[in-house]
Amino acid sequence: NQQSSLATGQNTTAIYINDYSLLKNLFVRPNFRQKSVAASLISASLGTVAATTENELYVYTKIPQLYKSLGWEAFSNQGQYFVFKIHF
């Protein structure tokens, strides 16, 4: 098992997780927000990861309420950024 790090932006702190999958750079254009587009994209990502041998997915976000509402678990708080994970 190779140890990997989940970068925490410009903060010098690092979160170490063994063999992880990370959801990165999920953006929804303003005119498509509040229409469940982000939830659909996240769900599709879960399906992709579930088809592999991975059993957890992590995300580094500034919008924790979205991931909380979708059942993700808070993993770490780095100031204005949050790390969430979901196990499946």
Side-chain angles (χ1 to χ4, degrees), residues 38-87:
S40 296
L41 292 170
I42 293 166
S43 178
S45 298
L46 291 174
T48 299
V49 174
T52 70
T53 59
E54 299 292 328
N55 61 8
E56 289 183 323
L57 181 61
Y58 293 83
V59 66
Y60 186 65
T61 184
K62 285 179 141 179
I63 50 171
Q65 62 276 14
L66 171 63
Y67 294 91
K68 284 181 188 177
S69 73
L70 296 173
W72 290 59
E73 176 186 344
F75 182 76
S76 177
N77 179 342
Q78 303 293 323
Q80 65 179 341
Y81 293 95
F82 300 84
V83 179
F84 279 80
K85 72 176 181 176
I86 192 159
H87 184 82

Side-chain angles (χ1 to χ4, degrees), residues 19-40:
D19 299 327
Y20 68 91
S21 291
L22 177 65
L23 176 60
K24 294 179 13 176
N25 301 327
L26 175 69
F27 298 97
V28 176
R29 288 183 175 209
N31 56 324
F32 288 100
R33 292 180 185 158
Q34 304 299 318
K35 297 178 182 179
S36 299
V37 172
S40 296

